[in-house]
Amino acid sequence: MRRPSLLFLLLLTAGLADSYLSAGQPAIENKTPVAESKMAESKLVTENIINKYAEQITLTGDQRSAFTEILAGYIEEKQKILPLLESNRIDYDAKQSSYFNTLRLKLSNILLKTQLKKFMQLKPRVADFESNLYYIYY
């Protein structure tokens, strides 16, 4: 089985963080063609994740905006602990669990109980590294 790619997680984070910033404020001032390509790729991954959730959970327009903002904040925080994934797995797991519990609490304020239940049911198997959703739950 393949391990999750740290680069993939960073790309995912970059796409969400960019959409989370103020309108018109680029995440990277002087983007190179490679950086722009990676940002476009990460935005596509982000859009795919949000679309998957929106479809499966049946998000309204307002819920989708709030959901995107909450998820962006979660991914931004998760990005800070990614180095622990390789250097200190126990600390990573503890912080990941704490961050995910906070995410779930925030989502419970905007989602109906049935929607939150569907969100939790979308959690992929532990070793399903191919799923974009894997990186949200683990």
Side-chain angles (χ1 to χ4, degrees):
M1 289 274 171
R2 290 185 2 207
R3 291 191 53 184
S5 165
L6 186 57
L7 176 61
F8 177 81
L9 292 172
L10 292 172
L11 288 174
L12 174 64
T13 303
L16 284 174
D18 190 43
S19 67
Y20 188 65
L21 296 173
S22 307
Q25 297 292 326
I28 300 172
E29 288 298 323
N30 297 317
K31 294 181 181 177
T32 64
V34 172
E36 287 179 356
S37 173
K38 291 192 182 303
M39 290 297 289
E41 183 180 331
S42 69
K43 284 182 182 181
L44 180 61
V45 170
T46 300
E47 287 176 22
N48 287 340
I49 289 172
I50 297 298
N51 289 337
K52 172 105 174 165
Y53 282 126
E55 177 185 307
Q56 296 290 324
I57 301 173
T58 317
L59 297 172
T60 65
D62 289 341
Q63 284 179 319
R64 186 181 180 127
S65 297
F67 182 85
T68 301
E69 186 176 324
I70 290 168
L71 196 60
Y74 167 76
I75 295 294
E76 191 175 315
E77 288 300 310
K78 188 171 176 178
Q79 178 184 17
K80 295 174 186 175
I81 65 167
L82 286 178
L84 293 175
L85 191 59
E86 306 245 341
S87 66
N88 190 339
R89 184 62 191 228
I90 293 171
D91 281 351
Y92 173 84
D93 289 342
K95 289 182 182 203
Q96 159 64 18
S97 177
S98 174
Y99 289 174
F100 188 78
N101 287 336
T102 301
L103 171 68
R104 198 170 50 183
L105 179 64
K106 288 179 179 180
L107 290 178
S108 70
N109 293 324
I110 64 162
L111 300 177
L112 301 171
K113 286 182 182 182
T114 55
Q115 290 173 310
L116 188 58
K117 182 178 178 182
K118 285 182 184 178
F119 171 80
M120 294 307 296
Q121 289 173 340
L122 290 172
K123 183 177 180 176
R125 294 185 334 253
V126 174
D128 189 5
F129 302 124
E130 297 299 318
S131 171
N132 288 341
L133 300 183
Y134 173 88
Y135 304 99
I136 302 301
Y137 297 92
Y138 300 99

